[in-house]
Amino acid sequence: DVKVTQSSRYLVKRTGEKVFLECVQDMDHENMFWYRQDPGLGLRLIYFSYDVKMKEKGDIPEGYSVSREKKERFSLILESASTNQTSMYLCASSAVAVGTEAFFGQGTRLTVV
Amino acid sequence: GQQVMQIPQYQHVQEGEDFTTYCNSSTTLSNIQWYKQRPGGHPVFLIQLVKSGEVKKQKRLTFQFGEAKKNSSLHITATQTTDVGTYFCAGGYNKLIFGAGTRLAVHP
C-alpha cells in the first residue's frame, strides 16, 4: 500500500520558534509538494521539489523554506513561526509533477501561539 | 500566475438530488485532476482528464473536460450521504495547482 507519512498529526508551537515538518514517501516518487489548507482558500502550494536537492517556489513561499536531501524525504521549515502560519499542512508526492495521481499524507495541524 | 477557480464554494442538497461543481482555469491545461476530501481526511485522487471534450464516468459521478481545455465539471447524480466532502479540481504544467474546492453537504 502506497504511503506518504507526515511526522506529526498535531503541533503547537510558540511565535518565533523554528518549526520543522517532515514528510516521507515510500513510492520512489520524483516529485514532492507542500500545501497549506485554510477554509475557503483550498490547497495553496508553498514549495515543490522535482528531484533531490531541487526545489521551486509555489504560490505562497514567504516565511517558509524546504529541504530535500534524500529522495524519500521532503521537509518544510518555518524559519520563525508566526500566528498567521496556523494552518493544516499537507504533503504530497507524485511520479511526475503534473499528469499522474498525487498521494497525500494525513496532514499536520499546526497551531502557532 | 496560473489560477484555478472553482464554484460554488459550498452546496447542500437533499439526498437523491443532483450536484455539480465547476472548475475554470486562467490558462489552457494539459490535463485536469479531481480529488475528494472527506471530513477530517486528506485529498484522494478520483480521476484525470486529458483530452479536449473528454467525458468520463465513475458510477454516479460524471467528469467533463471542456473543448478549450480551460474548464471542467463534476456532476453527481442522485447524491448519497457517502458523497459528503470537499471536491477539488487541480491542474497545471510544472506544478499542481488546486482550486478552492466545493464543500458538499447531503441531508438525509
Side-chain angles (χ1 to χ4, degrees):
Chain A
D1 199 16
V2 297
K3 197 174 274 189
V4 177
T5 304
Q6 294 183 229
S7 54
S8 304
R9 191 81 167 98
Y10 299 95
L11 271 181
V12 180
K13 296 292 182 181
R14 293 195 181 279
T15 300
E17 274 193 81
K18 191 169 186 176
V19 181
F20 293 85
L21 303 184
E22 308 285 347
C23 176
V24 177
Q25 51 99 0
D26 65 359
M27 294 165 282
D28 201 35
H29 282 166
E30 303 291 335
N31 298 274
M32 297 187 75
F33 307 83
W34 275 106
Y35 294 89
R36 66 176 279 177
Q37 183 173 22
D38 301 288
L41 298 177
L43 280 69
R44 292 181 292 166
L45 182 63
I46 305 171
Y47 268 97
F48 69 103
S49 168
Y50 52 89
D51 201 352
V52 175
K53 297 190 186 294
M54 306 303 289
K55 61 185 180 185
E56 284 207 23
K57 293 180 180 179
D59 296 323
I60 51 164
E62 296 79 18
Y64 303 94
S65 63
V66 291
S67 172
R68 191 152 179 217
E69 296 296 318
K70 292 186 177 181
K71 190 175 185 180
E72 67 271 18
R73 188 179 296 269
F74 192 34
S75 303
L76 179 68
I77 303 153
L78 285 66
E79 297 292 343
S80 177
S82 64
T83 54
N84 63 12
Q85 292 178 310
T86 292
S87 187
M88 171 67 81
Y89 290 88
L90 288 159
C91 173
S93 75
S94 66
V96 297
V98 178
T100 58
E101 174 180 356
F103 294 86
F104 282 83
Q106 77 277 26
T108 297
R109 171 74 64 186
L110 173 67
T111 302
V112 183
V113 298
Chain B
Q2 182 188 350
Q3 290 188 323
V4 177
M5 293 146 288
Q6 205 172 340
I7 56 169
Q9 186 173 357
Y10 176 73
Q11 188 158 1
H12 64 93
V13 298
Q14 290 295 128
E15 190 173 20
E17 291 182 340
D18 292 357
F19 159 78
T20 305
T21 173
Y22 300 91
C23 182
N24 289 284
S25 170
S26 57
T27 59
T28 302
L29 299 169
S30 59
N31 59 73
I32 194 151
Q33 298 178 355
W34 285 92
Y35 291 77
K36 178 182 178 181
Q37 184 177 26
R38 294 182 186 275
H42 58 271
V44 175
F45 177 83
L46 292 176
I47 206 162
Q48 175 171 278
L49 305 171
V50 179
K51 299 176 184 175
S52 170
E54 188 170 14
V55 178
K56 285 189 176 180
K57 292 192 175 186
Q58 287 180 350
K59 297 183 181 177
R60 294 177 295 104
L61 278 61
T62 301
F63 303 84
Q64 289 188 296
F65 201 10
E67 295 291 339
K69 299 183 76 173
K70 294 180 73 173
N71 62 286
S72 181
S73 64
L74 158 59
H75 180 81
I76 302 178
T77 303
T79 54
Q80 300 175 359
T81 54
T82 53
D83 296 324
V84 164
T86 301
Y87 293 85
F88 294 97
C89 61
Y93 277 98
N94 66 334
K95 54 186 179 181
L96 195 58
I97 303 298
F98 282 76
T102 296
R103 188 155 67 96
L104 173 64
V106 180
H107 300 285

